[in-house]
Amino acid sequence: MAVLDILVYPDPRLRTIAKPVERVDAPIRKLVEDMADTMYQAPGIGLAAVQVNAAKRIVVIDLSKDQSDLHVFINPEILKAEGRQEIEEGCLSVPEVFAPVSRAESVVVRALSKEGERFELQADGLLSVCIQHEIDHLDGKVFVDYLSRLKQDRIRKRLQKQAKRAIQPVSVGDAVTL
């Protein structure tokens, strides 16, 4: 399997609205496997296809400590949301940033499995949060959008500064290494 590059905020491609998957076929299953490998390597607990620059409505989530409980949601839609909870969220596309976000406590989601079979799932707690967070990505939304404009600007500037530092050339004798 392949580990894919994860887009980092404020990359404008994170604002892409994902298109529904027309058919669950071998290329889609390969993308799902690559997304799972990428999420585990990062390491993270959820990843949306938009985060790896694939504009398809696909989400992978695994909350287990041993990477043994992969949930795949193709064309997910939330049918019902109840209650409220606030949890400190982070995101692979917004590294080293955590902030409290208010979301539904419980959701019922309908999606297709990796095999293309339709299913419904009721999720509570952290799984509910992850589903909502990842579906936001499919809709071109990042969790920092829930924060104040001031916090968003600080995060964006910090990550842009880190990205610039990461690509600064380092002089070694007469050679330049990028």
Side-chain angles (χ1 to χ4, degrees), residues 61-139:
I61 296 172
D62 190 339
L63 303 181
S64 69
K65 292 186 191 305
D66 62 355
Q67 303 174 351
S68 64
D69 192 24
L70 182 66
H71 294 273
V72 176
F73 301 89
I74 299 173
N75 297 338
E77 58 181 312
I78 294 175
L79 303 176
K80 185 176 178 184
E82 295 181 326
R84 295 301 309 153
Q85 66 179 326
E86 188 170 281
I87 190 167
E88 186 123 317
E89 290 187 27
C91 181
L92 294 175
S93 290
V94 191
E96 300 175 22
V97 174
F98 300 90
V101 176
S102 180
R103 298 206 186 257
E105 167 65 31
S106 173
V107 296
V108 174
V109 63
R110 179 173 45 210
L112 298 175
S113 70
K114 183 179 173 185
E115 292 76 33
E117 298 168 1
R118 184 175 303 281
F119 70 93
E120 286 185 15
L121 173 75
Q122 177 169 346
D124 301 305
L126 184 56
L127 181 56
S128 171
V129 168
C130 288
I131 290 168
Q132 293 170 80
H133 177 108
E134 301 306 338
I135 289 176
D136 274 355
H137 278 299
L138 301 180
D139 295 331

Side-chain angles (χ1 to χ4, degrees), residues 5-21:
D5 291 331
I6 297 173
L7 301 177
V8 176
Y9 179 83
D11 190 310
R13 293 172 291 179
L14 288 168
R15 299 303 181 180
T16 302
I17 297 174
K19 305 261 190 271
V21 172

